[in-house]
Amino acid sequence: MKRTLLALDQIKERLENELDAATGNGERQSGYRSGISEALVQVMDTRNSLTAQR
C-alpha cells in the first residue's frame, strides 16, 4: 500500500510540474492543460479512496 501511495504522489508531482510548465493560449494548449488537470483529479481521487480504505 505504501508503494502505491508513493507512486501516486510521484505521479501527482509530475503532473503538477507539467501543468506549471505548459504555457500558451492556443486551443490545443488549453486542451492539453485540461487533460493534465483531469488526470490530477483522478490521481487525487484514487489516493483519497485508497487512504479511506485503510
Side-chain angles (χ1 to χ4, degrees):
M1 179 67 92
K2 287 182 182 181
R3 208 188 269 166
T4 302
L5 293 175
L6 179 61
L8 287 170
D9 288 341
Q10 291 172 339
I11 292 168
K12 180 179 175 263
E13 184 177 328
R14 281 185 264 164
L15 288 169
E16 288 172 340
N17 289 339
E18 187 64 27
L19 190 59
D20 290 342
T23 59
N25 295 331
E27 185 176 324
R28 185 175 183 192
Q29 193 66 24
S30 293
Y32 182 68
R33 290 178 56 84
S34 177
I36 294 171
S37 294
E38 181 60 29
L40 271 168
V41 169
Q42 295 299 320
V43 168
M44 289 188 294
D45 285 349
T46 302
R47 191 181 195 297
N48 290 340
S49 177
L50 287 173
T51 56
Q53 292 176 1
R54 289 178 119 187

